[in-house]
Amino acid sequence: MKFGVVVFPGSNCDADCLHAIKTVTGQPVEYIWHKSGSVDGFDCIVLPGGFSYGDYLRCGAIARFSPVMTPIIKFAQKGGLVVGICNGFQILTEAGLLPGALHRNNNLKFICKDSFLRVENNQTPFTCQAGARAVIKVPIAHGEGNYYADQETLNALEENGQVVFRYCDANGEITPAANPNGSVNNIAGICNKQGNVLGMMPHPERCAEAVLGNTDGQVIFKSLLEYWQRRCG
């Protein structure tokens, strides 16, 4: 299985993602430059966190028009695995690969701390190694992580099992106090209807090694590898 980590001007989590993927999965992984016109040869593409193009217009709004996004959109539409983390999640919504939008945290401040997530759907390529309703601790670091969608879209997300992660407390309870940014329905991560594109605000690459004091993020990378191995038989 070959992973690709996209590098946009302003990305600051690309090296973290590449290191975590290589360390956790043992699979080949390469950077993909934002001006690349092809993603041929890759099995999973990661859009990392950071401040693509400085977020000067709107988070992810400029990156969405990078040359590399054209082949990534086609890759996703054909069933290719795509993961967007933090700024990568914002780019996926701007590109129309995921519904909804991310806007300013409700306290209007940048938030950097650990958060607890409840796995709402463990039947996706990104969570198949997680237990049902498992609770994992994953750090967040964002100023615009407040997920929003209209009621019709929210209803569809809930009915289709597209809400993959929800902010919760340490016991897995979904409460307003456990919601760090005001995201509607405590949503921390969603997938598309086909289940091959994931967007999540928390950073699994920052909790994927024992030396970091937390390995909960490994479940995302290990799930992808297990899914791919089953798929390829």
Side-chain angles (χ1 to χ4, degrees):
M1 182 179 189
K2 186 175 181 180
F3 290 83
V5 178
V6 180
V7 180
F8 298 100
S11 295
N12 64 14
C13 298
D14 42 6
D16 305 58
C17 282
L18 185 139
H19 174 79
I21 291 167
K22 182 182 293 185
T23 301
V24 174
T25 71
Q27 300 298 299
V29 54
E30 295 179 4
Y31 291 121
I32 304 174
W33 188 233
H34 68 108
K35 289 186 177 181
S36 176
S38 170
V39 293
D40 291 348
F42 292 99
D43 303 307
C44 179
I45 295 171
V46 179
L47 279 61
F51 301 87
S52 59
Y53 295 90
D55 286 345
Y56 290 126
L57 174 61
R58 187 176 65 249
C59 296
I62 301 177
R64 176 265 177 274
F65 292 102
S66 283
V68 75
M69 289 306 298
T70 297
I72 288 176
I73 289 171
K74 292 178 180 177
F75 175 82
Q77 290 172 340
K78 292 179 180 178
L81 296 168
V82 179
V83 182
I85 300 169
C86 199
N87 189 231
F89 185 6
Q90 295 160 340
I91 295 168
L92 291 177
T93 61
E94 292 286 345
L97 288 174
L98 290 175
L102 284 305
H103 57 100
R104 293 292 300 277
N105 297 340
N106 59 354
N107 65 0
L108 302 182
K109 297 179 180 179
F110 183 86
I111 303 172
C112 183
K113 65 176 186 178
D114 282 330
S115 64
F116 289 100
L117 310 179
R118 192 172 77 187
V119 178
E120 299 292 270
N121 183 349
N122 69 341
Q123 302 300 308
T124 77
F126 319 97
T127 55
C128 57
Q129 276 214 349
R133 296 299 178 95
V135 175
I136 58 176
K137 185 170 70 173
V138 185
I140 57 173
H142 57 250
E144 299 190 24
N146 188 344
Y147 181 77
Y148 173 81
D150 60 47
Q151 194 59 52
E152 183 179 355
T153 300
L154 287 172
N155 291 343
L157 289 174
E158 300 287 359
E159 291 170 7
N160 297 331
Q162 290 175 245
V163 177
V164 181
F165 300 109
R166 226 184 287 271
Y167 296 111
C168 66
D169 63 21
N171 298 314
E173 296 297 320
I174 307 299
T175 66
N179 188 335
N181 51 36
S183 289
V184 65
N185 292 7
N186 280 49
I187 290 173
I190 62 171
C191 66
N192 62 340
K193 193 171 182 178
Q194 293 72 30
N196 63 299
V197 179
L198 171 74
M200 61 184 297
M201 285 310 297
H203 288 266
E205 78 281 5
R206 296 186 182 182
C207 57
E209 292 183 88
V211 70
L212 298 175
N214 180 7
T215 59
D216 285 3
Q218 289 187 2
V219 71
I220 284 86
F221 305 115
K222 288 182 175 179
S223 291
L224 281 163
L225 182 57
E226 178 187 313
Y227 170 82
W228 184 257
Q229 290 172 337
R230 288 203 317 259
R231 177 175 168 181
C232 295

